[in-house]
Amino acid sequence: MMDGTCCGPGYASPAEAIKAPREKLLYTIAIYTGTGIQKPDYLATVDADPDSPTYSQVIHRLEMPGIGDELHHMGWNACSSCHDDAGMSRKYLLVPGVRSNNIHIIDTATDPHAPRLHKIIDGAEIKSRTNLSGPHTVHCLGSEIIISFLGDAQGEAPGGYLHLNKEFEIVGRWENSMGDIPFGYDFWYQPRHNVMVSSEWAAPNTFMPGFDLEEVGHLKYGRRLHIWDFEKREPVESMYLGEDGLIPLEVKFLHNPDSTHGFCGAALSTNVIHFWKSGAGKWEWEKVIDVENEPHPEWPIPVPGVMSAILVSMDDRYLYLNNWLHGDMRQYDISDPHNPKLTGQVFMGGLLGKAPEVNGVKIAGGPQMFQLSLDGKRLYVTTSLFSTWDNQFYPEIRTQGGVMVLIDCDVENGGMKINENFIVDFGKEPNGPSRCHETRYPGGDCTSDIWL
């Protein structure tokens, strides 16, 4: 996927990435964990080329060797942070199982249409050598890789960070200290500012069985963001978000490597937190988007949106967010990061009954993970959050399976519209209904590249 834009993997700048060729293949995680079907989770290859006869279909399935991995998030071995390294290529996708702790190294370059298993880093070895479990976010670190883990070997918080070299060998723990950080989850770094920001979910032993609202009151779920000294590999400051930041999950800096502005979606509060470094060198934060809870006839309390993911377009103009329980995807203009403006909204699934069918498919679940094309015009959205949470809030997803939907995005004026020619129904998979989660493209995407 070089296309003359660079000598190594990735792109020289976000502006160069926007000019990249259109994505023609998608890799998405598909899971049987939690469905009752005793089959391995798998990596599904989806045809995203509108000129292809198999457009909008799963064209390949790479099964994992074991059952019950709960594949969740994944990331590349290399990204634009090693753009100048001609010896590196964006060839391998690291696909961890959050329950098994196994990290599957998938070769997507030999045959991009039919990825193959290259290597497995054994979860038991990770536990024994690093005292870590519950792998989550994968980021390329130049030619090396760091992965956030949510727990220790016993499934208790705070976990830490696994450091792998480019041969996918365990170096050890990446961080020199976790400080007094209570929980881990997502992270993003801006090397030009020597900063990393990490967020909080909960201990694996807390979230894996399902969601219990009382445990939020018992402080078993996070409500902080953490500022790290990236070179020293240690946290230096925490921002306590309180009720505005209950369960602060996905954290994203702007793509511009000179910027210190970033955003975090607080899932349970259903707020977007904006953070930045002030002129005086102090880290600040503010709530910039607040999604109101909605009444529901079968709920004793108003239903929160549950904003489980956010994403920033490559040109740093738009922020996208989901409300998993409400069922809507939203687009905000963040040209002024202090004052986001709502510019688009579509419904797909959800508990509010506003989108019973999309392109002929009745959606179980709501918009959850999503990936944006590099040019910002196409947003691919899937519907599964986490197996036990899916079963709790959307029990029908067990028999109906997940769905991938394509939303066309107006990058000039703002606006969103569901594409009527694209739908991938994972309820019709050969081994029975599965659920789809995170998506990546062979040439990189809007949620993995970091510039030095």
Side-chain angles (χ1 to χ4, degrees), residues 5 7 47 55 96 104 112 118 212 226-227 256 300 323 326 349 356 377 388 425:
T5 50
C7 57
D47 187 341
Y55 178 58
H104 310 88
H118 171 70
D212 180 349
H226 305 284
I227 310 292
N256 175 0
N323 290 303
H326 289 177
K377 295 177 180 177
T388 44
D425 184 358

Side-chain angles (χ1 to χ4, degrees), residues 45-62:
T45 305
V46 174
D47 187 341
D49 181 357
D51 297 325
S52 165
T54 52
Y55 178 58
S56 177
Q57 295 176 31
V58 177
I59 56 172
H60 185 264
R61 298 166 184 86
L62 175 66

